[in-house]
Amino acid sequence: MAIGEATPSGVRPSWPGAGPRSTRLARPARPPWRDFLRVRREFGAGVLEGLTFIHRAYGPFVQTRLPLELYFIADPACIEEVLLKKAEAFRKDRTSRLLSRVVGNGLLVNEGDSWRRQRKLLQPAFHQRQLQSYATVMTGAIEESAATWKSGEVRNVHEDMMAVTLKIVAGTLFGADVSADAGHIGQIISELMEQFGRILGLTARFLPPAWVPTPTNRQFQASARQVDQVIRGIIDDRRRKQSREPDGQSGDDLLSLLIRARDEDGSSMPDAQVRDEAVTLFLAGHETTALALTYSLYLLATHPECQDRLADELGQVLGGRAPGLGDLESLKYTDAVLLEAMRLYPPAWVMAREALADVEIGGFHFRKGAEFVMSPWVLHRDPRNFQSPEAFQPERWEGDLAQRLPRFAYFPFGGGPRVCIGNRFAMMEAKLVLAAALQRFRFEVTPQTELTLLPSVTLRPRHGLRLRLARR
Ligand code: HEM
């Protein structure tokens, strides 16, 4: 991809019905048989290209020609029905459910009453007051990493951002005392996710069940057991410490909160559930934020005028001191850069749901078991809602765009009852890290800078991302 271009796909959607926004949809379209090879070719080029193509060619509600009840939606009002208004009628799709092989019954894949109970138990850990206690871990992590960076060197900033967010999630989840263990778990979980991504890419629909002793399954289970052992060790240790405290209230980290959490009937979370939630938070809270930061750095490096403006804001608001919680409100352009980076490169690039019963969406009737795929990548580049959708323009967020947009025209954190529980955590973390990094260094493209996307469980840079650092 040429440097400075905002999209690697080269797909320029010219949507059917572009112009006045229509709320009435035609019947869910099916690509005609004569287009079969064309659709295959587009998906062959990449799933992002394929999704953009089918919506550009056939409209915002498309049914696959494969013998599956599978629909693709790119209409905000219909997505609102699935994720919010009729959320009760859906569960996560089959592919998302496979994640339970990694995260057990953690919040990301849990369903029904058990999900509701766990969401309620976890929610206080993400309240504003609690978030405040994580701010020092966040700034500490970026400062520690940036202190080792040298002016003039070319670095893989994707790796750097992964390391920073890993440190942050480890510190906020487990507390500083177990950061070495946490680094170890982070590594195993990353390996697990890599194996998982490969399996998904190849064989999601024909995946042998977990109990079949294929080499991949065996490798998977060995890694999962290792994660289990380390986390259980930490939980035991924490329980012992808490039982020694007179009030049992020690520890401000997420794990201590999970262990202390009590249901309305006073019951606590079983260890296995604490383990599943800890792995989930580790996983969900680590890579996504690193990606938002990586793409922000890439876009700032390819748009030096935007980077200058951001540096000006940091100078005015911080005047050289470290960013803190009290500055977040004033860092408006920093906020806009992150929103715009997540618009162009949404880390969670696709969401999907399966109907639990017959359901009506967009005025059409669907049978139980129908699956719906919704991609922020496609929605975020819809010219009906975003002018010059392929261009990186953080300024677009400075006016009232967020209020004017239809709900679910922009949804990097999902929406409805299953909206990302860590969305405020992530925005706070990303703003603090971006501000601290940009305060110290200027990020520049080099001939080695190349962005190739890999849409796996998240939207990753396939070969990392290399940028040159210049001290300010
Ligand atoms: C830029 C960073 C992030 C992005 C883009 C992101 C995106 C998302 C999205 C789109 C969902 C909903 C998925 C669906 O509806 O199928 C989600 C759910 C979730 N996220 Fe995040 N996330 C981010 C950061 C975080 C962080 C920092 C944490 C925790 C520390 C976290 C924890 C979770 C959890 C536990 C869920 C499941 C919530 C539920 O189903 O009740 N995420 N995230």
Side-chain angles (χ1 to χ4, degrees):
M1 171 193 175
I3 288 164
E5 229 178 283
T7 172
S9 66
V11 177
R12 304 263 180 279
S14 69
W15 299 73
R21 195 176 300 135
S22 76
T23 45
R24 281 187 64 76
L25 295 167
R27 257 198 74 73
R30 284 186 121 181
W33 281 115
R34 65 172 181 279
D35 285 3
F36 184 78
L37 286 178
R38 176 124 199 247
V39 173
R40 238 182 64 170
R41 199 171 53 236
E42 295 290 343
F43 274 96
V47 66
L48 301 174
E49 285 80 355
L51 286 176
T52 307
F53 170 76
I54 56 168
H55 288 300
R56 178 181 61 186
Y58 312 114
F61 214 136
V62 182
Q63 182 178 6
T64 174
R65 272 282 172 198
L66 300 172
L68 300 166
E69 285 285 316
L70 182 62
Y71 300 87
F72 299 92
I73 313 182
D75 179 84
C78 293
I79 295 177
E80 185 176 5
E81 284 191 71
V82 176
L83 293 183
L84 176 66
K85 292 184 174 161
K86 298 180 181 167
E88 291 283 308
F90 294 93
R91 64 172 175 172
K92 296 266 171 128
D93 67 304
R94 186 177 176 275
T95 310
S96 310
R97 292 201 304 271
L98 284 174
L99 254 183
S100 64
R101 292 191 185 186
V102 182
V103 300
N105 201 28
L107 205 60
L108 208 53
V109 292
N110 203 344
E111 298 283 356
D113 286 343
S114 170
W115 167 77
R116 252 182 298 281
R117 177 176 176 271
Q118 287 302 118
R119 176 105 190 178
K120 221 165 143 191
L121 282 174
L122 260 71
Q123 201 73 58
F126 294 93
H127 283 163
Q128 190 60 29
R129 196 167 45 82
Q130 199 56 42
L131 291 184
Q132 290 175 6
S133 67
Y134 308 144
T136 19
V137 178
M138 293 172 176
T139 41
I142 176 66
E143 277 164 13
E144 204 180 299
S145 292
T148 65
W149 298 347
K150 293 184 184 60
S151 192
E153 67 180 340
V154 176
R155 298 189 64 94
N156 182 341
V157 297
H158 177 235
E159 262 175 21
D160 285 332
M161 292 301 113
M162 289 288 275
V164 170
T165 58
L166 181 68
K167 236 184 265 176
I168 291 173
V169 84
T172 51
L173 193 51
F174 298 124
D177 51 331
V178 289
S179 52
D181 280 344
H184 183 207
I185 305 169
Q187 207 185 333
I188 311 169
I189 295 182
S190 300
E191 280 166 26
L192 267 180
M193 284 310 288
E194 221 155 89
Q195 295 164 13
F196 183 72
R198 271 201 298 277
I199 293 171
L200 275 191
L202 297 173
T203 56
R205 300 219 153 250
F206 312 102
L207 191 63
W211 51 264
V212 178
T214 61
T216 316
N217 278 351
R218 280 211 304 269
Q219 221 179 342
F220 219 81
Q221 278 148 13
S223 305
R225 269 197 303 275
Q226 264 183 297
V227 175
D228 228 56
Q229 265 170 13
V230 182
I231 296 194
R232 273 177 198 278
I234 300 173
I235 296 173
D236 286 347
D237 187 52
R238 198 58 51 90
R239 281 209 197 278
R240 266 196 304 277
K241 270 191 196 149
Q242 288 201 352
S243 66
R244 281 202 298 271
E245 300 283 322
D247 58 357
Q249 294 292 307
S250 75
D252 226 4
D253 52 81
L254 276 165
L255 188 72
S256 300
L257 295 177
L258 296 186
I259 292 174
R260 279 207 299 270
R262 289 289 176 275
D263 223 341
E264 276 146 9
D265 65 5
S267 57
S268 61
M269 227 182 268
D271 276 1
Q273 190 68 36
V274 175
R275 175 259 176 218
D276 289 351
E277 300 302 359
V279 176
T280 301
L281 294 176
F282 220 98
L283 190 76
H286 157 217
E287 193 188 346
T288 40
T289 318
L291 290 170
L293 283 161
T294 303
Y295 294 126
S296 297
L297 292 176
Y298 170 73
L299 289 161
L300 289 169
T302 50
H303 297 78
E305 67 294 353
C306 297
Q307 192 168 170
D308 288 344
R309 224 191 121 184
L310 182 52
D312 284 349
E313 175 175 276
L314 297 175
Q316 275 163 24
V317 174
L318 305 171
R321 65 177 168 75
L325 208 59
D327 301 310
L328 294 183
E329 184 67 11
S330 315
L331 295 175
K332 295 204 183 326
Y333 193 71
T334 316
D335 204 55
V337 165
L338 282 162
L339 293 180
E340 184 69 345
M342 286 194 293
R343 183 182 72 78
L344 284 168
Y345 300 108
W349 63 279
V350 70
M351 276 158 251
R353 293 291 189 272
E354 178 185 312
L356 286 165
D358 290 8
V359 67
E360 217 177 273
I361 299 293
F364 303 115
H365 198 76
F366 299 96
R367 283 205 295 272
K368 175 183 175 185
E371 284 193 5
F372 299 86
V373 175
M374 301 150 283
S375 171
W377 170 276
V378 176
L379 271 285
H380 291 184
R381 290 168 185 251
D382 184 342
R384 289 173 298 177
N385 292 316
F386 299 98
Q387 264 180 23
S388 311
E390 310 290 318
F392 175 63
Q393 293 173 348
E395 314 73 62
R396 72 171 86 233
W397 294 101
E398 290 179 320
D400 61 351
L401 176 65
Q403 287 76 49
R404 277 191 290 110
L405 282 176
R407 233 168 157 169
F408 293 95
Y410 179 75
F411 61 125
F413 293 107
R418 300 208 71 146
V419 68
C420 175
I421 199 170
N423 57 1
R424 283 189 301 155
F425 181 114
M427 282 307 285
M428 166 178 157
E429 173 183 8
K431 271 172 95 169
L432 290 173
V433 171
L434 194 62
L438 266 289
Q439 247 184 339
R440 289 168 176 74
F441 292 97
R442 196 177 166 74
F443 291 81
E444 297 166 350
V445 291
T446 78
Q448 298 167 50
T449 306
E450 190 204 322
L451 179 62
T452 313
L453 296 178
L454 174 67
S456 179
V457 179
T458 51
L459 185 61
R460 298 177 183 151
R462 186 184 288 271
H463 309 294
L465 181 69
R466 280 172 189 76
L467 295 177
R468 184 188 297 112
L469 274 60
R471 189 169 291 284
R472 287 192 188 276

